[in-house]
Amino acid sequence: MKNFKPNKLINTKNKAFIVAFVFIAITTLISCNEDPLDKVPLDSYTDVTVWNDLKLAEAFANNLYNVLPTTQHNWNDRTNRSWALSASCDEAYNKFDDYNSSTINAGALTADNAYDFDIWKPTYSIIQNCNIFLSKIDNVPGDEAWRNRLKGEVLFLRAYAYFKLTCDYGGVPIITEPFNLNSNFKVDRSTYDQSIDFIATELDKATALLPLTTSSLGRITKGAALAIKSRALLYAASPQWNTSNDINKWKKASDAAKAVIDLNIYQLYDKNYPDIFTTNNSEIISSRLSSKDPQWSAYNGVETFLSPSGFHGWASFAPSQGLIDAFGTADGKDITDPTSGYDPQNPYSNRDPRFYKNIVYDGRAYGKPEFFQDRYDAGHSNKAEFYEGGLDSPQGWDTWNNSETRYAFRKYCDTTYNYNTETQTNKAWIISRLGEIYLNYAEAQFKIGNESTAIQYLNLIRRRAGITTPLAGLTGTSLENKIRNERQVELCLEGHRYYDVRRWKIAQITENKPLMGVIITKSSNGTRTYTYKKVQDRIFKPEHYLLPIPRDEINRTGLVQNPGYN
């Protein structure tokens, strides 16, 4: 794998880079020109031209949004591991080994083989271009408010890029000036705490420049900056990095989450739960929109690659049995609680309402019946059939795409349209939402000793989900386990679990056992028997709490490698 070489990002490439960004703005410029033929040729936009026109500067800034994850399923885009994070922890299984998750899950990760899971080079490439923008924007003539908004956005995007790097690698080199031919490319790694302090400071700067709200869906706001600061400080306070359990770090994390809550512009979405992930609504703080226009492609279509095989989907990212078991019962009890009423031979009844909203399981109706007439023509229905011999089983339709775990994700799927015949709908990957902030706040409040406040915010999440029995009486380890369980359930398939088990330092437990699925046998009278099977062996080594810095980057710069990687 090639790695970040700053000298490759200057001179000729910078000019080509700017031309590429200017292309984004061309249609806007043409629409403002009375004569669309009376314009400067595309290839004549130079460095000087771009940094003398706020429209062109904004086009440059717009492309830096590529550091944010999307719902698009692009195997070769190493800045976008939205779905792959779930398959690289105990949350899900990906049978097609997208993004090289199998190497991580097998415990075989080295400095030479992270491949498409590694984000070092593309992330530093974006940082370089953020630095170029920030070195120029103050001198671009035009409206000051517009200029400040763009500057705030790029400060956020650079901070977000660094946060991504710290999540994967720990402390990293902090570079704030564009490289040029005279630059010293050997920059030492900052410590993790220094990196987080930089990120938090940059997000504060961005917050001061950004608007509270925006009419443009997907643009960064104050809330977005404060939400990522909340997550960064929560991670920094967690056992992975806060080995002495410094309470001041938890207080900072608590204050950061409360700052988002106190904006008073976001509310938990209490209507149809699945709509949180398919509509623009009151809960979303920031998201990255993917346009519908180029989306009819199985590579990008959420419904295509998540739906069961009998519905002509790929079941590409399939929930693990461990995730299924994390959903409690309707009254909010764990299924391991003997008073919960959980029935192992009727495992999908009387479960947490979020189970029915997030998961496609055997017997669950999926999509409108008229969308799947071929199932009815074959004497079946739109109820999923994961039992052996069913339409969604290895013996059913599209067998190369059957779910290995015998489950599929309902989350993020828009079932109001027929993805088999219609263009994919617009999709937004949720970067942050109020539900996460409540969970951040509950965890930090618990850690500083305010257990009643932690329970209060857990109950807000659970009541919105439809659990009417409030939590009460939990304390200590039992409450901490419930906080972690709520994150596992509420935030499933949103890219959090991979990092949560690492920051909690429990990955050696959660990731060091086989990923399981279910085998469902249907008898002639319709009764079902459930047994459980190993889908994939999983191995986790101590060094895998962090990714290795790519070897050629180590060789080129002399950076100190993460522990455990030769």
Side-chain angles (χ1 to χ4, degrees):
M1 179 189 302
K2 297 180 180 178
N3 286 289
F4 175 51
K5 300 185 186 297
N7 55 318
K8 297 294 187 181
L9 295 174
I10 59 176
N11 294 340
T12 303
K13 185 167 183 179
N14 272 355
K15 292 177 182 177
F17 177 81
I18 291 167
V19 168
F21 285 135
V22 170
F23 180 77
I24 301 171
I26 286 300
T27 53
T28 302
L29 296 176
I30 290 174
S31 67
C32 298
N33 197 325
E34 293 182 0
D35 182 357
L37 298 179
D38 181 19
K39 62 182 186 293
V40 179
L42 177 61
D43 60 3
S44 68
Y45 283 98
T46 65
D47 220 23
V48 173
T49 304
V50 170
W51 302 118
N52 277 282
D53 188 323
L54 269 178
K55 289 180 180 178
L56 300 183
E58 181 163 32
F60 191 107
N62 287 346
N63 209 66
L64 301 177
Y65 272 75
N66 286 330
V67 76
L68 302 177
T70 76
T71 59
Q72 291 181 280
H73 185 28
N74 296 330
W75 285 282
N76 296 321
D77 181 357
R78 285 180 286 138
T79 66
N80 184 31
R81 298 178 310 183
S82 44
W83 310 103
L85 290 172
S86 290
S88 303
C89 67
D90 65 343
E91 187 167 84
Y93 174 74
N94 174 229
K95 69 186 297 180
F96 302 115
D97 194 24
D98 307 326
Y99 301 87
N100 201 41
S101 291
S102 67
T103 299
I104 294 171
N105 294 330
L109 187 64
T110 72
D112 301 299
N113 67 2
Y115 302 127
D116 287 341
F117 201 80
D118 171 66
I119 63 168
W120 186 277
K121 177 184 175 180
T123 306
Y124 267 112
S125 294
I126 289 176
I127 288 170
Q128 163 74 354
N129 292 317
C130 287
N131 289 340
I132 292 171
F133 179 93
L134 293 170
S135 73
K136 301 286 189 181
I137 186 61
D138 287 342
N139 295 319
V140 178
D143 180 69
E144 182 178 10
W146 185 1
R147 187 168 54 244
N148 284 341
R149 173 179 63 79
L150 293 176
K151 184 175 181 179
E153 289 177 12
V154 176
L155 283 169
F156 169 89
L157 294 168
R158 185 174 68 177
Y160 186 89
Y162 274 115
F163 177 56
K164 287 175 66 173
L165 290 168
T166 62
C167 290
D168 280 352
Y169 306 99
V172 296
I174 301 297
I175 302 163
T176 59
E177 299 294 333
F179 280 111
N180 58 51
L181 287 174
N182 298 315
S183 295
N184 178 7
F185 302 135
K186 294 188 176 182
V187 181
D188 291 336
R189 296 179 67 173
S190 296
T191 67
Y192 178 82
D193 283 346
Q194 288 170 340
S195 300
I196 292 296
D197 286 346
F198 170 79
I199 291 164
T201 299
E202 292 294 289
L203 290 171
D204 285 341
K205 292 177 183 177
T207 300
L209 296 170
L210 290 165
L212 186 62
T213 60
T214 175
S215 59
S216 300
L217 182 63
R219 298 214 81 93
I220 298 303
T221 61
K222 289 182 186 294
L226 291 174
I228 295 303
K229 180 181 177 182
S230 166
R231 193 184 305 170
L233 293 181
L234 182 78
Y235 284 19
S238 300
Q240 182 181 16
W241 299 108
N242 186 12
T243 56
S244 64
N245 195 29
D246 182 349
I247 296 301
N248 287 324
K249 290 188 175 183
W250 286 110
K251 288 179 179 177
K252 288 182 179 180
S254 175
D255 290 345
K258 192 62 162 57
V260 183
I261 296 168
D262 287 347
L263 290 176
N264 291 318
I265 59 172
Y266 309 107
Q267 295 84 39
L268 291 183
Y269 186 73
D270 60 1
K271 297 178 182 178
N272 186 31
Y273 185 86
D275 290 347
I276 296 172
F277 311 99
T278 59
T279 66
N280 184 32
N281 58 77
S282 63
E283 184 163 341
I284 296 176
I285 299 171
S286 62
S287 62
R288 176 85 188 283
L289 185 67
S290 298
S291 171
K292 73 184 263 187
D293 293 334
Q295 291 303 301
W296 207 102
S297 164
Y299 302 111
N300 294 334
V302 172
E303 289 78 17
T304 299
F305 65 78
L306 289 185
S307 297
S309 56
F311 296 83
H312 308 298
W314 290 5
S316 185
F317 295 92
S320 67
Q321 186 63 46
L323 175 60
I324 302 305
D325 293 344
F327 288 91
T329 51
D331 58 1
K333 295 179 179 179
D334 296 339
I335 64 170
T336 54
D337 185 333
T339 67
S340 69
Y342 172 72
D343 180 1
Q345 288 307 313
N346 193 12
Y348 310 136
S349 67
N350 192 41
R351 299 295 293 272
D352 181 328
R354 288 170 292 190
F355 172 73
Y356 304 106
K357 306 299 185 182
N358 287 323
I359 306 296
V360 183
Y361 55 89
D362 184 62
R364 186 200 193 283
Y366 184 67
K368 294 183 178 181
E370 58 266 32
F371 295 163
F372 305 106
Q373 187 60 46
D374 54 349
R375 293 176 69 101
Y376 287 85
D377 291 344
H380 299 262
S381 72
N382 69 327
K383 290 184 177 181
E385 299 177 358
F386 289 114
Y387 60 83
E388 298 301 281
L391 295 185
D392 306 288
S393 75
Q395 302 82 31
W397 291 354
D398 297 347
T399 56
W400 53 92
N401 288 325
N402 71 281
S403 168
E404 294 290 341
T405 67
R406 308 301 194 269
Y407 301 102
F409 279 108
R410 163 67 175 83
K411 196 172 200 174
Y412 271 107
C413 292
D414 182 352
T415 60
T416 65
Y417 84 108
N418 187 349
Y419 60 88
N420 284 306
T421 61
E422 300 176 41
T423 302
Q424 298 289 348
T425 56
N426 287 331
K427 288 294 191 302
W429 179 265
I430 295 176
I431 296 166
S432 54
R433 61 183 176 97
L434 189 61
E436 179 212 340
I437 301 301
Y438 279 5
L439 291 168
N440 292 356
Y441 188 57
E443 184 175 348
Q445 283 285 295
F446 166 77
K447 287 293 189 177
I448 63 178
N450 296 332
E451 293 187 343
S452 61
T453 303
I455 290 173
Q456 173 190 350
Y457 278 84
L458 289 184
N459 279 332
L460 290 173
I461 292 287
R462 288 158 64 86
R463 183 163 58 247
R464 185 275 297 277
I467 298 173
T468 56
T469 306
L471 288 172
L474 288 180
T475 188
T477 301
S478 296
L479 178 53
E480 183 172 40
N481 289 340
K482 182 54 67 176
I483 290 169
R484 292 178 176 184
N485 172 255
E486 280 298 313
R487 287 187 71 93
Q488 183 180 11
V489 169
E490 176 69 24
L491 301 178
C492 71
L493 200 62
E494 295 182 50
H496 293 275
R497 178 70 175 174
Y498 176 90
Y499 294 113
D500 279 346
V501 298
R502 284 160 173 75
R503 68 180 180 87
W504 291 329
K505 291 289 284 194
I506 63 171
Q508 71 271 21
I509 299 170
T510 62
E511 311 307 300
N512 233 348
K513 56 186 177 182
L515 183 131
M516 302 295 289
V518 65
I519 296 292
I520 306 170
T521 305
K522 180 181 177 182
S523 67
S524 58
N525 64 6
T527 60
R528 288 164 167 77
T529 302
Y530 303 86
T531 57
Y532 298 92
K533 68 163 187 171
K534 178 174 67 176
V535 174
Q536 185 181 49
D537 282 315
R538 298 275 178 101
I539 298 171
F540 186 90
K541 299 175 182 176
E543 58 265 33
H544 296 159
Y545 278 99
L546 295 173
L547 295 183
I549 296 173
R551 188 177 305 281
D552 54 352
E553 184 71 8
I554 295 290
N555 293 341
R556 189 180 65 80
T557 63
L559 287 174
V560 176
Q561 180 60 279
N562 281 326
Y565 296 104
N566 296 326

